[in-house]
Amino acid sequence: MSNAQTYDVVVVGAGNAALCAAISAKEGGARVLVLERGPVEKRGGNSFFTDGAIRVAYNNLDGIRNIIPELTDEDSELIVMPEYTETDYYNDLMRVTGGQSNPELAKQLVSRSYETIAWMRDQGIKFELNYENQSFVQAGKRNFWGGLPIKTEDKGVGLMRQLFARTEEIGIDVWYDSRAVELVSEHNTITGVVVEKDQDHTMVTVQTSGVILACGGFEANKKMRSENIGEEWEAAIVRGTEFNTGDGISMAMAVGAQKFGQWSGCHSIGTDYNAPKVGDFTKPGDIFKKHSYPYSVMLNNEGKRFVDEGADLRNYTYAKYGREVLKQPGHVAYQIYDAQVRPMLRKEYDLEEATFYKADTLGELASLLPVNQTQFLKTIEEYNSAVQDGEYRPAEKDGKGTKGITPPKSNWALRIEQGPFYAFPVTCGITFSFGGLHVDTTGHVLDKEEQPIKGLFAAGEMIGGIFYENYPGGSGLMSGAVFGKLAGSSAARYTQEKVETINNH
């Protein structure tokens, strides 16, 4: 094992949270090294694969125009933008997590969201309105909905390209093919990190006063998934990077860090049944998801429904319905649509990568699928009979539901009766694990006595205690940026204070 040069702060990971942490630490006067486990062509972590939607408390359209200055007065006249306050954001987070989200972490995420977005803009990150997935046109105006009107330009690809450009611009070193394998600790104080470098597996010790762990959860580790979330999770597709195998969590726990949050939970979605088994860096942008299911009827191989497809807006159900698909026989379900609904589906349904079956009759469609055909047709017949009259309003919860069937469909219930008919097979794709480390509101990793481990910080998906059972869409990117920025400034401050203490003695 050889010794390498010394850095004030070492950031483990190279996604959104990690690079926000690195940039923030550099702003704080630290000499920063970023360790990317993957090669340069596979850099960027899970953030590379996101569609870029980022949830922020923006208050009103003026707040958004500050983040997207390209919006003109003329543009704004044609936009209807509901207010989305810190209270709205906090209530959404608490509602979808059943009140389990740690209040201090939740409040920090929400209250720092807007200032962090503004800071990202100042770092060169460009944002745009989420026209495609979060708006509809009515009476000549663009109406936004769902509290998620902002996204990063060119999705996660653009976000990471701009973040890496900024790290290079301000002189942050990045090592690729460099896997952190051990934290060096003396007297409950971090003094270095052991790195396995390049293809020849050379072991190098980097001396440092501060380490920021921002290398994701354990979602790409089959063994940890099986042990913590359940055996069936071995079958889940990994939607993002193959490198998030829990290294950071394991290293932190080896030096006394405390586990925290819902280790039995994760963010998962319904994704194309034929999606790659791990994220394909040549096909980024979240193209395999299938998120128009609120307009569908979803059936399993037995020909039965298993969730209320229209329970809520997509933003508030998609992160929990993936696991419901995983529970079904063969880990598969079929989203069924007819000709009335097919033109309303999201863009991913029209991509060449989308797997689907099409038929002129429901009987013919059932014959194309490996399902119990008799039950399939019976389920749809019972559903059609249960659909209640009412106005169908696909961009808002319309209350147009069913009566007399279980599970119900609470909104967007249309009879499936106009051919041609479509079936899109989906399975479960895991995005990130909810269980992580106990971290305070400024990024310090806590030990089992809930005291900070000196010199150890964390951000992003490694923070436990924020998400339980479910997740408001766009909160992951925002959490990564907020706590990345906070961890970076905390680490820089810690290392500067340590240097001053040494100099004064």
Side-chain angles (χ1 to χ4, degrees), residues 433-497:
S433 47
F434 287 161
L437 304 175
H438 198 174
V439 177
D440 71 12
T441 56
T442 53
H444 297 81
V445 175
L446 305 180
D447 64 18
K448 293 170 184 175
E449 283 72 47
E450 301 192 4
Q451 297 300 308
I453 298 173
K454 295 177 183 177
L456 189 59
F457 309 85
E461 297 164 3
M462 294 194 58
I463 297 180
I466 299 177
F467 305 122
Y468 289 80
E469 306 295 343
N470 197 7
Y471 158 103
S475 298
L477 271 185
M478 193 74 261
S479 175
V482 165
F483 288 102
K485 181 175 183 290
L486 288 165
S489 59
S490 292
R493 192 179 312 114
Y494 170 81
T495 57
Q496 295 295 330
E497 290 172 354

Side-chain angles (χ1 to χ4, degrees), residues 217-219 225 228-230 232-233 236-237 261-269 317-324 326 428-435 467-471:
F218 56 82
E219 62 274 1
R225 288 203 310 265
N228 293 288
I229 311 177
E232 69 273 18
W233 286 90
I237 283 174
Q262 189 194 17
W263 275 64
S264 61
C266 64
H267 177 299
S268 62
I269 71 162
T317 59
Y318 77 91
K320 67 177 180 179
Y321 277 4
R323 79 175 68 103
E324 298 304 321
L326 191 69
C428 176
I430 185 170
T431 314
F432 64 92
S433 47
F434 287 161
F467 305 122
Y468 289 80
E469 306 295 343
N470 197 7
Y471 158 103

Side-chain angles (χ1 to χ4, degrees), residues 58-61 64 79-83 129 142-144 149:
Y58 57 82
N59 288 328
N60 54 36
L61 183 57
I64 287 177
I79 290 173
V80 178
M81 183 67 67
E83 288 188 351
L129 285 176
R142 179 70 68 169
N143 290 253
F144 284 83

Side-chain angles (χ1 to χ4, degrees), residues 326-347:
L326 191 69
K327 293 176 184 177
Q328 304 313 306
H331 314 299
V332 64
Y334 303 91
Q335 297 177 4
I336 308 300
Y337 305 95
D338 74 356
Q340 298 176 87
V341 175
R342 180 65 184 88
M344 304 177 192
L345 304 189
R346 290 161 55 104
K347 184 178 179 181

